[in-house]
Amino acid sequence: MSSPNPEDIPQEPEPSSSKKKKKERKWQQQEASIQALTRAGHGALLAGQNHEALTSFQRAFLLASKTSQKRDTPILRACAFNLGAAYVETGDPARGLELLLRAQPEKKAQGRCHGDQCFNVALAYHALGNLPQALAWYHRALGHYQPLGDQGQAQAKMGACYQALGQPELAAHCLREASQAYAQAGQPQAAALALGAAAGCMLKSGQHGVGEMVQVLEKSRRLAEMSTERGLLGQLYNDLGLGYSQLQLFPLAAEAFLQALPLCRGPGEEATVLRNLGMAHNALGNYQEAREFHQKAADLHGSVGQRWEQGRSFGSLAFALSQLGDHKAARDNYLHALQAAQDTGDLKGQWQACEGLGAAAARLGQHDQALKYYKEALAQCQKEPDFVRERLVAKLADAMRTHLAQGGPNLTHTLTSAPGRSQTPGGACPAGTPARLGRSPAEAKHRSFKQLRETSSRDPQRRPTTSGFCRIM
């Protein structure tokens, strides 16, 4: 009799088999929960609900941490990635960076997901002010995106880093590359914004002629006109106006600002464009038109509670009035500008208003008042460039001479002589700060595991440019 085949003998089920199946089912349920939380987080981000998104990603990460125990699984890394990107998005880059680095993929890995992870690490370093590290990670992201033709955002962000590092020529190169990438990807609006920013960097670098920069701005205009999205078209035309203003091509600037005006998305933006129009017409010597634009801008800024901007509009309006010879009205508006500057802690606005008040007082024959305001302006502008203080010293000296010549009391004080040409006695300098519309073109959007999207600012701020015109951010 042969021995039985072991395979024919019924085997008792191993005790661990049912446990494995039960554990597998539990893991599948947890994985489904993680996926659901992740989808909810992405949906909340797209809807601009950052707090809800952060909560969903936190729950997904905690659940993945419990199920993975001590193992560093792909799902745990993905959850760390999404949570880290969400922290960066919601203003906590330090915590976000720690999680993003924990989720770091293999160095040789390729593809959009790995590019997004490098991009978010770069964003975290950028937000923390570590620009060299940010540039290094943007460059790594670029390597992942370029084969996919999706490198525009990374190049634009690199341009922003180079701008912050004071390297405008490198910034211009990156922004022009970003514009080309956006155009090839069928995003003419983003391409126009990047090209407009590149023109500003080209101007700062001093290595490009006016003709070349005008060509860049005209290309930006053509790209803007190709855009089917009207939401930010006002921003594009306003940026074009700023570019032309920096080149002192004020007729073209005024034309671009006029195109921006009907495309504004609210009274605050409309006020900003009106102020820019006023500044362009001030530069062209069209003071009557400038007066009307600045008056409308001041009223609109006031209606939406933009006191800082309203003060600057009052200053620009006062300058236009002074050039029209209405020095009493100019004085009144400079007083409004001074009060607004004091209300908002705007030191530059304060000394500019005092300088204007000194000029108005001199024109009205109130030389003691002119002396008073010029002294106040000089005391408040100590952190300004030398030429500003020299100009005020010259005006103060001239006001003193006029005061003494007309029999005024001899006021004892010491004045430092101002080298170079002084301005016309009693003459006012242009005041106010026109503005930029919208988000900077170099502001790339956050990306996550499924590409996090940056939400727009709920309260855009106006940022003055070095030329005196302003941006709406």
Side-chain angles (χ1 to χ4, degrees):
M1 185 175 175
S2 63
S3 299
N5 188 334
E7 293 180 0
D8 296 333
I9 300 174
Q11 301 292 317
E12 290 292 330
E14 294 180 8
S16 61
S17 178
S18 60
K19 291 183 178 179
K20 285 182 179 180
K21 290 181 180 180
K22 185 176 180 181
K23 187 176 181 181
E24 182 66 24
R25 284 195 300 270
K26 182 178 179 181
W27 164 241
Q28 290 175 350
Q29 292 172 351
Q30 290 173 330
E31 185 176 2
S33 298
I34 291 169
Q35 294 289 353
L37 287 166
T38 300
R39 286 194 298 271
H42 288 300
L45 277 177
L46 291 172
Q49 300 169 343
N50 288 350
H51 178 73
E52 290 80 358
L54 190 60
T55 300
S56 294
F57 287 133
Q58 285 172 334
R59 291 174 62 190
F61 177 72
L62 288 173
L63 188 56
S65 299
K66 290 178 181 177
T67 55
S68 301
Q69 296 178 348
K70 295 183 179 181
R71 293 178 298 157
D72 188 18
T73 65
I75 287 183
L76 180 58
R77 289 197 299 271
C79 289
F81 176 17
N82 282 331
L83 181 56
Y87 275 127
V88 174
E89 173 80 4
T90 54
D92 192 349
R95 188 179 296 182
L97 179 61
E98 181 181 351
L99 286 161
L100 287 165
L101 290 175
R102 176 175 176 174
Q104 182 177 342
E106 296 82 0
K107 292 183 179 180
K108 294 183 180 180
Q110 295 294 321
R112 186 183 304 277
C113 173
H114 302 298
D116 289 349
Q117 204 251 316
C118 293
F119 188 85
N120 276 284
V121 172
L123 286 176
Y125 278 121
H126 199 160
L128 292 168
N130 190 337
L131 299 181
Q133 279 283 12
L135 277 168
W137 281 91
Y138 284 133
H139 188 74
R140 289 178 66 175
L142 200 60
H144 294 296
Y145 291 143
Q146 278 179 324
L148 305 172
D150 190 24
Q151 67 268 31
Q153 290 181 341
Q155 287 172 322
K157 272 295 190 180
M158 289 174 71
C161 285
Y162 283 123
Q163 280 183 282
L165 290 169
Q167 300 181 51
E169 183 61 20
L170 288 173
H173 173 75
C174 289
L175 288 165
R176 293 179 80 170
E177 290 288 318
S179 177
Q180 184 177 353
Y182 283 134
Q184 291 174 348
Q187 301 177 55
Q189 184 170 274
L193 282 170
L195 205 54
C201 293
M202 290 165 66
L203 181 66
K204 288 180 182 178
S205 74
Q207 298 183 31
H208 303 270
V210 172
E212 183 183 0
M213 286 185 282
V214 169
Q215 286 181 350
V216 170
L217 288 171
E218 284 302 309
K219 185 176 180 181
S220 177
R221 180 194 291 272
R222 290 193 296 272
L223 287 165
E225 291 169 349
M226 290 169 57
S227 175
T228 57
E229 299 178 18
R230 309 294 291 179
L232 292 178
L233 201 52
Q235 170 194 346
L236 295 171
Y237 283 123
N238 190 75
D239 284 358
L240 277 172
L242 292 175
Y244 288 127
S245 298
Q246 289 177 313
L247 295 172
Q248 299 188 28
L249 299 174
F250 295 109
L252 292 175
E255 180 184 342
F257 291 140
L258 277 174
Q259 288 179 287
L261 195 57
L263 299 168
C264 293
R265 296 168 296 180
E269 288 192 7
E270 184 180 352
T272 297
V273 175
L274 285 167
R275 195 160 103 238
N276 283 349
L277 269 167
M279 290 296 287
H281 281 285
N282 272 348
L284 289 167
N286 301 331
Y287 298 114
Q288 186 61 41
E289 292 88 343
R291 182 192 69 79
E292 294 172 3
F293 287 128
H294 287 308
Q295 183 65 67
K296 291 177 181 177
D299 292 343
L300 277 175
H301 281 310
S303 72
V304 293
Q306 294 172 339
R307 185 67 168 145
W308 184 95
E309 292 86 348
Q310 185 185 36
R312 292 301 181 94
S313 292
F314 279 133
S316 296
L317 172 59
F319 175 76
L321 288 165
S322 72
Q323 300 307 297
L324 291 169
D326 192 346
H327 299 294
K328 288 185 179 179
R331 176 196 59 195
D332 292 343
N333 280 281
Y334 277 128
L335 284 170
H336 288 314
L338 179 60
Q339 184 62 61
Q342 290 171 341
D343 291 346
T344 57
D346 179 8
L347 296 179
K348 184 171 185 177
Q350 289 179 48
W351 72 254
Q352 286 179 333
C354 286
E355 181 180 11
L357 283 165
R363 291 294 188 182
L364 293 169
Q366 301 168 349
H367 300 291
D368 56 336
Q369 289 293 304
L371 284 170
K372 168 192 169 185
Y373 284 119
Y374 283 142
K375 286 180 184 177
E376 289 183 15
L378 189 59
Q380 292 170 356
C381 74
Q382 294 306 305
K383 294 184 179 180
E384 297 295 326
D386 289 344
F387 73 88
V388 172
R389 296 193 299 275
E390 290 165 359
R391 182 181 74 224
L392 285 167
V393 167
K395 289 184 177 184
L396 183 55
D398 186 80
M400 174 64 73
R401 285 192 295 269
T402 305
H403 180 71
L404 292 175
Q406 294 188 355
N410 188 356
L411 304 178
T412 304
H413 63 281
T414 302
L415 291 178
T416 304
S417 61
R421 293 190 309 168
S422 64
Q423 296 206 354
T424 304
C429 291
T433 323
R436 175 184 287 273
L437 290 175
R439 188 179 302 278
S440 166
E443 289 289 340
K445 300 181 186 295
H446 294 258
R447 297 169 181 259
S448 79
F449 194 59
K450 290 189 178 178
Q451 197 168 9
L452 301 184
R453 293 295 181 184
E454 187 176 27
T455 56
S456 59
S457 171
R458 290 177 295 176
D459 184 21
Q461 297 297 312
R462 281 76 185 161
R463 298 291 178 86
T465 67
T466 55
S467 64
F469 289 76
C470 268
R471 301 172 172 85
I472 296 179
M473 303 300 288

